[in-house]
Amino acid sequence: MARVSDMVADRPMYLYLTTTGRVTGQPREIEIWFTKHGGHLYLVAERESANWVRNIQSQPQVKVRLGGAEFNAVARIVHDDREPQLAATVKALFDAKYGWSDGLIAELTPA
């Protein structure tokens, strides 16, 4: 398994996430803010109904492009009520990096 620290040599502000469209089955790429913690990458969605969120709920295998690296990952939603410490840590990291953290957290684990 690839390590996130090995893939993120510099400090980019965003990554490119490619999900599989839940209706079309076609690749869908977005540019999105992220942070890293404990060997995982984390994203925050403003809305639970965001297409990329619904796509990962349907098909959690995703592709990530970050800096010069491209890799596969598995995505999952982090539920604040079930993982309050992790959610608080990720929100604090987002606040420190972007000054914003209000939304649904998704975790990406490099495959």
Side-chain angles (χ1 to χ4, degrees):
M1 181 166 92
R3 290 181 13 184
V4 171
S5 59
D6 294 339
M7 293 179 257
V8 186
D10 53 2
R11 299 191 58 82
M13 294 299 285
Y14 53 85
L15 60 75
Y16 293 92
L17 175 71
T18 301
T19 61
T20 301
R22 68 196 172 285
V23 176
T24 67
Q26 297 299 309
R28 302 291 183 217
E29 184 180 74
I30 62 166
E31 179 181 272
I32 190 165
W33 287 349
F34 77 98
T35 191
K36 59 181 180 168
H37 172 69
H40 304 279
L41 297 168
Y42 292 91
L43 316 174
V44 176
E46 289 184 66
R47 301 177 331 273
E48 289 185 33
S49 63
N51 283 325
W52 70 267
V53 171
R54 294 176 12 188
N55 288 346
I56 66 170
Q57 289 172 323
S58 175
Q59 174 58 263
Q61 286 75 28
V62 299
K63 293 185 187 285
V64 177
R65 188 162 41 99
L66 178 55
E70 292 186 34
F71 54 94
N72 295 322
V74 177
R76 74 175 187 96
I77 301 302
V78 174
H79 298 279
D80 291 9
D81 57 338
R82 292 184 221 155
E83 300 173 274
Q85 186 173 3
L86 177 59
T89 298
V90 171
K91 288 182 180 199
L93 290 167
F94 256 81
D95 283 336
K97 188 172 181 180
Y98 301 107
W100 175 85
S101 66
D102 189 26
L104 179 74
I105 300 169
E107 177 184 83
L108 304 179
T109 302

